Amino acid sequence: MSLSCSHLLCGESSSSVISPGGGDYYSSDLDSRPPDAVESIAGLLEHESDLAGLSSFSAVDQPIDASIRSEYIAWILKVQRYYGFQPLTAYLSVNYFDRFVCCHHLPKKNGWPLQLLSVACLSLAAKIEERLVPSLLDIQVEDAKYIFEPKTVQRMELLVLRVLDWRLRSISPFCYLSFFAHKIDPSGTYTDFLTTRAKEIIFSTIQDTSLLECRPSGIAATTILCAANDLPKFSLVTAQQAESWCDGLNKDEIMMIRLKMKAKKKPKVFPQLPVTYRASI
């Protein structure tokens, strides 16, 4: 669908869409860092409020309705699963989406403008984090309500970059997961389970606007704590103990985030074990 809109016209070349922009970009997935990278974690905690881009955003003055936002975030997550994108790709897409609608006026707060924004944000995040990126037409799958021409998406990408001041770096909860997992289990035996389960919890609540004001470190600590409590060995680890993992964590914040997540938590479904009946003689 060809859609012309004057506010989407930019003078930059479309080839510059994935340009770092003055060294302002870095990969925010630090799962590969060693678990004792205390200095790196301290630096992230120091700057996360500035880089999150949502420090002044609140659920009270959200620029779009929560149910409408949830609809487009759900589409981003469906495409992420369809192509097997990394979790960070989806998280960055949502981050760009929220930051954009927070500081830029759209002609409509529903319909094609938000669909176009969703495509552009997902495309930008995929170009940064993924090795293989679908074309701008192929990325519009999973029952996208509107199909946009590549030129239209490129213009929207450039608008997103300008509105975000080319600041595509974002400190996410994923930056902290391995570090916090090793704090709970220094042996590394359960690290994969803890980080994987924490990511599942993050994505189960990513559509909740009440968490937009929460710091990435607080979300990471809370989800790792929830994951640890799923294991009998670590079921007694508390928010007070989590507070000691590094300077900057706050037990009250962790407990508050946990309460919000608990309100959204779905009941666990345990797999049914096959039952064998002995034939009576």
Side-chain angles (χ1 to χ4, degrees):
M1 178 181 293
S2 177
L3 295 173
S4 60
C5 192
S6 60
H7 72 286
L8 297 181
L9 298 177
C10 306
E12 294 88 340
S13 169
S14 60
S15 63
S16 64
V17 167
I18 59 174
S19 172
D24 217 18
Y25 161 76
Y26 67 92
S27 178
S28 54
D29 188 355
L30 301 185
D31 283 353
S32 60
R33 289 181 179 268
D36 59 346
V38 179
E39 292 184 3
S40 298
I41 295 297
L44 291 173
L45 285 164
E46 182 180 355
H47 298 292
E48 69 176 0
S49 296
D50 177 52
L51 298 179
L54 294 170
S55 56
S56 60
F57 186 86
S58 68
V60 176
D61 59 359
Q62 57 187 327
I64 61 175
D65 185 80
S67 61
I68 295 175
R69 173 187 178 273
S70 179
E71 176 184 346
Y72 293 98
I73 301 308
W75 178 82
I76 289 175
L77 296 179
K78 286 195 292 184
V79 178
Q80 181 256 340
R81 290 191 294 267
Y82 181 90
Y83 282 111
F85 290 158
Q86 299 179 66
L88 182 59
T89 301
Y91 188 91
L92 288 178
S93 304
V94 176
N95 179 271
Y96 301 160
F97 182 98
D98 287 330
R99 288 164 59 192
F100 184 93
V101 298
C102 182
C103 56
H104 186 80
H105 174 73
L106 287 170
K108 292 174 61 180
K109 293 186 178 182
N110 199 352
W112 71 263
L114 287 180
Q115 178 67 53
L116 179 57
L117 175 61
S118 304
V119 175
C121 291
L122 181 57
S123 173
L124 287 172
K127 288 173 182 177
I128 290 174
E129 296 298 334
E130 303 298 330
R131 293 184 179 181
L132 297 176
V133 181
S135 70
L136 292 177
L137 282 177
D138 289 339
I139 206 171
Q140 301 179 64
V141 293
E142 290 297 303
D143 301 321
K145 291 184 176 180
Y146 304 88
I147 303 299
F148 303 98
E149 292 184 349
K151 290 183 179 179
T152 304
V153 179
Q154 288 174 343
R155 289 197 295 269
M156 189 65 190
E157 286 179 329
L158 290 170
L159 179 59
V160 171
L161 289 169
R162 291 179 61 185
V163 170
L164 301 186
D165 197 24
W166 292 79
R167 302 184 67 172
L168 297 187
R169 62 177 183 174
S170 178
I171 296 177
S172 74
F174 302 110
C175 299
Y176 303 95
L177 294 183
S178 283
F179 182 83
F180 292 159
H182 278 83
K183 286 293 184 179
I184 289 179
D185 180 30
S187 70
T189 304
Y190 299 95
T191 299
D192 287 343
F193 171 84
L194 292 172
T195 55
T196 300
R197 177 66 183 130
K199 289 176 183 178
E200 292 175 354
I201 298 172
I202 290 171
F203 279 104
S204 71
T205 58
I206 197 171
Q207 294 173 246
D208 184 8
T209 56
S210 67
L211 297 176
L212 285 173
E213 288 185 296
C214 302
R215 296 184 306 154
S217 57
I219 293 175
T222 305
T223 54
I224 283 290
L225 188 62
C226 291
N229 292 162
D230 285 343
L231 296 172
K233 184 176 181 179
F234 306 114
S235 60
L236 299 181
V237 180
T238 65
Q240 187 170 1
Q241 291 172 281
E243 189 178 41
S244 66
W245 291 346
C246 63
D247 293 335
L249 291 180
N250 183 284
K251 65 177 181 180
D252 293 331
E253 179 186 16
I254 294 173
M255 293 173 66
M256 178 269 293
I257 296 174
R258 189 163 188 174
L259 286 174
K260 290 183 177 182
M261 289 184 171
K262 195 172 183 180
K264 299 289 181 178
K265 189 175 182 180
K266 297 180 180 179
K268 291 184 180 179
V269 178
F270 294 96
Q272 293 184 349
L273 299 177
V275 179
T276 302
Y277 295 94
R278 296 182 61 184
S280 58
I281 300 177

